[in-house]
Amino acid sequence: MAILRKNFDEADETRPFEDGKGRLDLIQTDGGPVGRAVFEPGWRWSEHIKPLAGTDSCQSAHTGYIVSGRMHVVMDDGEEDDYGAGDFMQVSPGHDAWVLGDEPCVAVDWTGFGAYAKAAGG
């Protein structure tokens, strides 16, 4: 395919998070899936994705961009950082994360969302 246009508002798949705390809009490309996640205020991986993932911490590697809002990430080894609008992020597997403040955090990720927020074994 020489050229492709897709819109996250008409995603190939949408995966809602637990308790209505956001969603993942996923589009499929020849280079693999690309996702846009909307994390609502109060969202936390260990509360809203862990029940779907079935792991103690997020085991997805993320390479992406924060479009809006803010997020705090804590690695299993204790390293941590905050990300906000305009930030590029690269996070290894083995972390928890949560939204900071009262604004949704919107992130686009092109490496870690293929199996994200998908029921274990599904």
Side-chain angles (χ1 to χ4, degrees):
M1 181 171 300
I3 190 168
L4 172 70
R5 183 188 58 80
K6 289 191 172 191
N7 190 304
F8 284 112
D9 292 334
E10 298 173 0
D12 295 320
E13 181 181 357
T14 295
R15 299 178 189 157
F17 299 157
E18 293 284 311
D19 300 329
K21 287 293 183 182
R23 70 182 188 283
L24 170 62
D25 300 316
L26 200 64
I27 58 173
Q28 298 297 331
T29 74
D30 288 345
V34 178
R36 174 186 67 182
V38 178
F39 304 99
E40 296 294 338
W43 175 90
R44 186 177 183 128
W45 185 92
S46 54
E47 294 175 21
H48 301 101
I49 304 298
K50 181 178 179 176
L52 297 169
T55 57
D56 288 334
S57 61
C58 181
Q59 296 303 305
S60 294
H62 300 287
T63 305
Y65 175 78
I66 304 297
V67 177
S68 61
R70 296 178 62 231
M71 182 172 288
H72 185 77
V73 177
V74 178
M75 302 300 297
D76 290 349
D77 69 3
E79 183 180 0
E80 57 189 286
D81 206 348
D82 292 341
Y83 296 92
D87 286 343
F88 168 83
M89 66 183 295
Q90 200 163 30
V91 179
S92 297
H95 57 272
D96 193 4
W98 56 89
V99 172
L100 297 172
D102 58 3
E103 176 185 354
C105 180
V106 177
V108 174
D109 185 318
W110 48 90
T111 61
F113 280 166
Y116 193 83
K118 194 171 190 176

